[in-house]
Structure formats: C-alpha cells, structure tokens
Amino acid sequence: MSTFTGWVRAVLRIGVGISFLVLIGAVTVQVIGRSFVGSSPVWTEELTRFALLYLAGFGTGLALLSGDLVNVDLVSESLSPRKSWALRFLSAILVLLFAALLIAPAWRFTQIGAMQTSPAMAMPMNYAHGSILLLVATLALAALLRVVGMLTGATDGRPEHLLGEVE
C-alpha cells in the first residue's frame, strides 16, 4: 500500500513540476516579449491558463495525500482522539464520494472539448478540459488512499507535517 502511495505521490509531483515549468516558460516568453520586443506571442496567454489548470489538477490530489489541503483542525482536534479520527475518516469518505460523482460529468466535459479548438494555439480543447477530469480523478484516488490507509492503520488521517512540528 505504501509503495503504491509513494508511486502516486511521485507521479503527481512530476506532474506539478512539469506544469510549473511550462508556466514559468510561458510567463518568461511573455515578459521577454513585452519588455524587449514590444508584444508577446498570443499563445502564451492560453498556455499559461492551461498550465495553471494542470497545476491545480496534479496539485489537489497531492495536497490531499499530504494533508496540506484545507483542513478544519480547530474542530476535529478539539474532540476526543476517537471522535477526531471518525471525523477525519468521514471527511475522507465524503471527498471520495463527491469526487467520484464528478468523474462522469468531467469525462463528458472533456469529450465536448474534442469538438472545439483553442483560439490561439489551435489545439483541441479536450486537452484543457482534461485538467478537470485529472483534478477530480486524483482527488478521488487520494481520498481512496486516505480511507484505505485509515482503515488499515497506515495513517491516522492527520496532516503529515503540522506547522511547528519537528521531524
């Protein structure tokens, strides 16, 4: 289980890294174009938006796996350890259910994009729309891994590195 989770984390980190590098590259071309040439290529605006979408798509699942996604620890950690665990478990189940419910609509949204092209880059929009499918799929997978981890005792569902914690 931990080996699979490690592989998922590695793939998501690579995806975040590539998305960020594309974003940096597109913005650099924009800045150089506007500063030294007078205008930047039109495609950089679109590529920047697409890179941000993929950054969110890869990063959301990664944030849930590490516990860095938004948590309301003030409520859960004020409860007894057993109730706190139950609340974290319930939250993971709800995230899994909502994300799983969104996979089919996200797939349809992605398919619709195949009939459209982006105005500046002239690429099929299903590549851009696929970022939404990626987001809900990685979120569902991360929630599933958290649920399984909590049931098997591999994790207690708490964030991995709380602020101020010493390793």
Side-chain angles (χ1 to χ4, degrees):
M1 173 70 182
S2 62
T3 304
F4 179 70
T5 303
W7 278 102
V8 169
R9 284 176 199 258
V11 168
L12 293 178
R13 283 184 179 143
I14 290 168
V16 165
I18 290 171
S19 301
F20 200 56
L21 285 174
V22 169
L23 178 65
I24 289 170
V27 170
T28 301
V29 170
Q30 283 179 324
V31 169
I32 290 172
R34 289 179 185 164
S35 299
F36 301 110
V37 179
S39 67
S40 64
V42 177
W43 57 264
T44 58
E45 294 288 335
E46 260 184 23
L47 187 58
T48 301
R49 282 191 291 273
F50 297 161
L52 281 171
L53 287 170
Y54 274 93
L55 190 61
F58 286 111
T60 303
L62 188 59
L64 182 61
L65 279 175
S66 68
D68 292 328
L69 203 57
V70 175
N71 290 314
V72 187
D73 295 338
L74 182 66
V75 174
S76 67
E77 298 309 310
S78 66
L79 301 172
S80 69
R82 185 174 171 89
K83 288 181 183 176
S84 179
W85 184 92
L87 190 57
R88 287 190 304 272
F89 184 74
L90 177 64
S91 295
I93 291 285
L94 289 174
V95 169
L96 174 59
L97 290 174
F98 285 132
L101 284 172
L102 290 173
I103 289 175
W107 176 254
R108 281 193 298 278
F109 180 62
T110 302
Q111 287 177 319
I112 289 169
M115 296 180 274
Q116 304 166 340
T117 57
S118 66
M121 293 175 34
M123 72 174 205
M125 284 300 291
N126 58 338
Y127 294 116
H129 294 176
S131 65
I132 306 305
L133 178 61
L134 175 70
L135 189 147
V136 295
T138 59
L139 195 57
L141 178 60
L144 177 64
L145 290 172
R146 171 153 307 167
V147 166
V148 171
M150 290 180 78
L151 287 175
T152 61
T155 181
D156 61 0
R158 284 193 174 99
E160 291 176 357
H161 304 288
L162 294 174
L163 188 61
E165 230 180 37
V166 180
E167 287 187 26

